Amino acid sequence: MPTERTSAGDPARTLQLLWRETAPAGGRGPRRGLSIDAVVEAATAIADTEGLDAVTMRRVAKELAVVPMTLYTYVPAKAELLDLMLDAAYARMPRPDTAGLPWQHRVSAIADENRALFERHPWAAAVSTSRPPLGPGLMGKYEHELSAFEGLGLSDLQMDDCLNHLLTFVQASARAAADVRSARHDSAMSDRQWWQVNAPLLARVLDANAYPTAVRVGTAAGTARGTAYDPDHTYAFGLRRILDAFAALIERNRNPNSST
């Protein structure tokens, strides 16, 4: 389960910060050279290298060489800071122009762009965005991503549903990929090495006659991929299946009387 979620702070204050409609509060005014953007950049750098748990107001203040109370004049708490971090990451996402390309290419590009986001910022994959940060980064991202579904005969609700389904898949894939990287790091072994170490024990305790399908399929998959779970293969397979499902929905909308 995600340990952090967006929009957990004061909504009014968060929106003011996201859209930069507020000035730092405090007695003697802002410190020269410090800004909301600088705070967000410092916090993001910490999260990228050490994880989101390492991001505290005290730690960010230390990175910026200010006392924590100075930081609070720019961002009131970590909840609002997280929204600012994620929205800034959204704003920096490349948004290549895919107009005129087949819709499958446009949708695949959206998936790949979000996968790249989670590779640049692994912490973002673990954040729940069921209540998204409604800042300019998110709105620009949403506008860009919806354009991949424009002109396909989908209703507005279907466009939103398709995009949500796609992004949920990408985020889940990113979390699974992060788990694989953590397992490899913690065990100091590749997946192939791990299976080589455990295969003899498994062969002794596993009755292949009791689990014939599992043994047959598991052996075939493991032989083909060198591991029980390959994040790249699973992502590519899942994306293809999503495109197939979208194609069926588009076809039904275009031909409502069709039997397909």
Side-chain angles (χ1 to χ4, degrees), residues 5-254:
R5 63 180 177 86
T6 53
S7 299
D10 174 32
R13 178 63 171 159
T14 300
L15 284 174
Q16 289 177 334
L17 289 166
L18 285 168
W19 292 92
R20 302 299 193 270
E21 290 189 348
T22 183
R28 297 185 178 181
R31 179 181 184 271
R32 184 179 299 276
L34 193 60
S35 66
I36 293 175
D37 290 339
V39 174
V40 172
E41 289 176 9
T44 300
I46 295 170
D48 288 347
T49 57
E50 302 177 39
L52 200 55
D53 287 344
V55 178
T56 64
M57 299 297 280
R58 182 174 297 276
R59 175 64 188 284
V60 176
K62 181 179 179 181
E63 291 297 315
L64 293 169
V66 299
V67 297
M69 288 307 298
T70 299
L71 201 65
Y72 286 111
T73 66
Y74 291 85
V75 181
K78 184 177 177 179
E80 290 82 2
L81 179 57
L82 177 59
D83 285 1
L84 290 165
M85 292 166 60
L86 198 56
D87 197 68
Y90 290 159
R92 289 192 296 266
M93 289 176 67
R95 294 172 187 162
D97 183 8
T98 58
L101 294 178
W103 70 264
Q104 294 92 337
H105 288 72
R106 302 198 305 266
V107 172
S108 295
I110 296 304
D112 291 345
E113 289 162 16
N114 280 273
R115 193 184 192 210
L117 168 72
F118 294 133
E119 289 176 351
R120 287 192 300 272
H121 307 294
W123 54 269
V127 176
S128 171
T129 56
S130 58
R131 292 182 176 178
L134 301 176
L138 173 71
M139 296 311 299
K141 179 178 184 288
Y142 188 47
E143 179 75 18
H144 167 68
E145 292 170 347
L146 285 174
S147 68
F149 299 93
E150 192 76 280
L152 301 182
L154 300 173
S155 69
D156 288 350
L157 292 180
Q158 287 174 330
M159 289 172 63
D160 185 71
D161 284 341
C162 286
L163 178 57
N164 281 331
H165 183 59
L166 180 70
L167 297 185
T168 299
F169 160 74
V170 176
Q171 186 170 16
S173 296
R175 289 177 181 171
D179 289 342
V180 170
R181 290 192 295 270
S182 294
R184 291 171 181 169
H185 178 270
D186 293 344
S187 66
M189 290 187 291
S190 67
D191 290 342
R192 187 177 296 275
Q193 290 170 328
W194 187 88
W195 280 106
Q196 288 174 344
V197 169
N198 288 278
L201 173 61
L202 186 62
R204 289 199 304 271
V205 301
L206 180 63
D207 182 0
N209 293 322
Y211 311 101
T213 306
V215 170
R216 187 188 78 243
V217 174
T219 300
T223 301
R225 302 180 195 122
T227 179
Y229 181 82
D230 181 342
D232 292 335
H233 170 81
T234 301
Y235 172 79
F237 177 86
L239 181 56
R240 287 195 298 269
R241 300 294 75 79
I242 287 177
L243 294 176
D244 289 344
F246 288 172
L249 177 62
I250 292 167
E251 179 62 24
R252 283 198 298 271
N253 277 19
R254 290 174 175 173

